[in-house]
Structure formats: structure tokens, C-alpha cells
Amino acid sequence: MQRQVIVFAFDGVRLMDVAAPLEVFATAARDTGAYTVRVCTPGGRDVITSTGLRIVADLSAEQAEREQRLDDGAVRTAGAGRSDVTLIVPGPADLDTFRKEPALVDQVARLAAGAQRVAAVCTGAFALAAAGLLRGRRATTHWEHAAELAHRHPDVRVTPDAIHVQDGKVLTSAGVTAGIDVCLAMVEQDHGPEAARRVARDLVVFLQRPGGQSQFSAASRTIATAHPVVRPLLDAIAADPASDHSPQALAGQAGVSARHLSRLFREETGSTPAAYVETMRLEAARMLLERGESVTSAARRSGLGSDETLRRTFARHLGTTPSAYAARFRSTRPVVPHVPTIDSGAPL
């Protein structure tokens, strides 16, 4: 089956959100010959990405809709085979783009109606949600905007830590480069894991990257609360996460019962005292590892205590190990594997 991949671009779209799907499917097309990859835009006009780079359309969104209608008509009247269409909706740099330009959401809805599969990259999930395509479905988006997606669209079951999520014919992905991950997943669905591995090798990326997107997020922001009991405790935990911050110790410091403190924490932070302390200790451990501390030192100085506790905490929250995290985030210097070098004088 010849598969059509349509990437919908618009003014303000993030360049990488467009480029990643194009690169994956164009590479897969060279390997399999089974994809036609095109960019469509509103009215077929050139669009300016968030970086300022101009993208020239292959066709207008309206033309893409007409092609889908003609294809449907051919199937009904002549029984001809349908060309499988995958619609990819990239995200904008400005989260409010789809609110400011509802016509874009309408366009996405019309294009999606004729597609057999729909995928969003990063904040493109907001367009799918606004178009009703995520109603009752699991979805994800960039870690920084996952809570906002859940707030704006309570009918969507947001999975904040996933690199990508598929629910039925709809796929959503985390921020920017996760567009590569979700497109590799689609290539694997279409042509099997070996085809996807060949594309991943060509692009020098993971076929399936380890861990979830929490490992890529910035350190947790301080909870915005001015509560006279909770605020001093949050500051104390952030200042010295390795101190004794058991629920009993915190309650004693605040002069309230442990039960009352637990209620206040839930109201002000959405978390229990113990869970909040663990989160802050994890953030401290991450920062220590990024600065070059050993696993043992990071465990001790963050308050998590032992190497084993640190490993369990990393596995539970980040889906990776402290050593793997440190290797990936400590430095931009490449890790050179111990493999034989190529002798330029040797015959090929």
C-alpha cells in the first residue's frame, strides 16, 4: 500500500516539529518506497516557523482535503484501494496559537476526518484536543505543558511522562525531538521493527529511548503558595533536602499535628509531605549527578541515603538509573566506545 504522509504547517510552528517527521518518513521512503511525504499549509501559502525559516508548501490544506474526498469517492464507486493517509500536526512555539486562530483547529479537524491515522508532535496535541480528536483518549505532550493540556481539556486522559502515546488511530508525543520517536513507532507499525531500526540507525537515534520524558524536564519549580504554615516548610526542604523532614518532624516544626499538616500539604501542593520531600530529594540528586558527583555522594547529600534507594527512586520516577542519567546529562562531550578504528590505508 502506498502511504501518504501529510504534515500540516502554519505560521509560528516549531521547525523541529515539522522537520523530524519529514526526516523520518523521507528516510523510510528511500528504504521502503512506500511513503509519499508532503507539507500542506492553509491556502498553500508559505509559512514562517518560530525560528524565522520559511517553509514552502507542497499543497494547500484545502487541496489535501479534496484529494481525500476524491479517494473516498473512488473507493465507494469503483471499489478501488484506498491510499492510507497519516496526518501529522506539529506544535507551535506559542501555546495559545490554536486559541488565537480557531481556523487552524477547524482545518485540523477536516484533515483528520479523511486520515486513517493522526499524530501530534509536542503542543500539536492542543490542536487535536480542541478538535475533539482526543476526547476520552490517552494522550501526552511536552512535559512543561501536560498539566495545562489536562486543565484545558478534562476529557483527555493526559499521561505526562510518556515519550509518545497511541490510543486508537491517534498518536501524541512529547516535546520536539519526540516527533522522531513517534514517527519511528509508526514506521515500525507499517513495515516492522527492522525497517524502523534501519531508519533509526540512519538518523543516529534510539529506536526506543530509555526512560520517560521526566528525565529531560527542568528541576521542579517551587510551589507557589504563601500559606503561613506550608511556605516555611517548603523553603526548609528546598534549602536542605538531606535533613530530617519526616512528617512528624515537619509537623513538630510547624506546631501542628501530622494529620493536619498532611491535609494542608494536599491543599497547597497536591501532594503528601513524604511524597513532596522525595520529589525534592530526587531533584537534588539529579543536580548533584549533573555536577559530577558520584552515585553514592548524590544519594547521601540529597537525603535519599543509599545507592539502592537512589536507584529505586530514579527507576520509579524517571524510568532510568542514576548512572545512565549521569552519563547522558553530565556533559556534552561524546562518550567514545572502545571499538576498532577504521584503517584508512586498508582496502575496502
Side-chain angles (χ1 to χ4, degrees), residues 76-253:
R76 287 194 300 271
T77 59
R82 180 194 299 274
S83 62
D84 194 292
V85 176
T86 294
L87 170 67
I88 299 179
V89 182
D94 180 358
L95 190 62
D96 286 328
T97 294
F98 299 123
R99 275 182 168 179
K100 297 173 182 174
E101 299 185 54
L104 292 177
V105 175
D106 294 339
Q107 191 81 74
V108 167
R110 291 193 299 272
L111 288 167
Q116 284 66 57
R117 185 169 57 187
V118 181
V121 180
C122 195
T123 53
F126 283 80
L128 301 194
L133 299 170
L134 297 181
R135 188 173 296 118
R137 297 184 189 271
R138 291 176 58 246
T140 194
T141 190
H142 191 288
W143 62 267
E144 191 172 23
H145 305 303
E148 183 65 20
L149 179 63
H151 173 72
R152 292 189 188 184
H153 302 282
D155 57 347
V156 179
R157 291 179 288 147
V158 178
T159 305
D161 194 43
I163 298 296
H164 59 83
V165 168
Q166 179 166 8
D167 192 331
K169 75 166 192 175
V170 183
L171 299 94
T172 50
S173 61
V176 196
T177 59
I180 296 175
D181 299 81
V182 72
C183 291
L184 285 172
M186 288 188 280
V187 172
E188 183 175 1
Q189 287 177 7
D190 296 342
H191 300 289
E194 183 52 41
R197 274 193 289 271
R198 289 195 296 269
V199 176
R201 284 195 295 266
D202 185 271
L203 300 180
V204 197
V205 296
F206 288 114
L207 177 57
Q208 184 177 25
R209 77 173 85 185
Q213 63 169 319
S214 291
Q215 62 184 305
F216 302 96
S217 65
S220 295
R221 293 168 175 80
T222 302
I223 299 294
T225 177
H227 193 282
V229 173
V230 177
R231 177 77 268 160
L233 296 179
L234 300 187
D235 292 339
I237 294 167
D240 188 6
S243 289
D244 179 9
H245 297 305
S246 65
Q248 294 75 19
L250 291 172
Q253 183 179 336

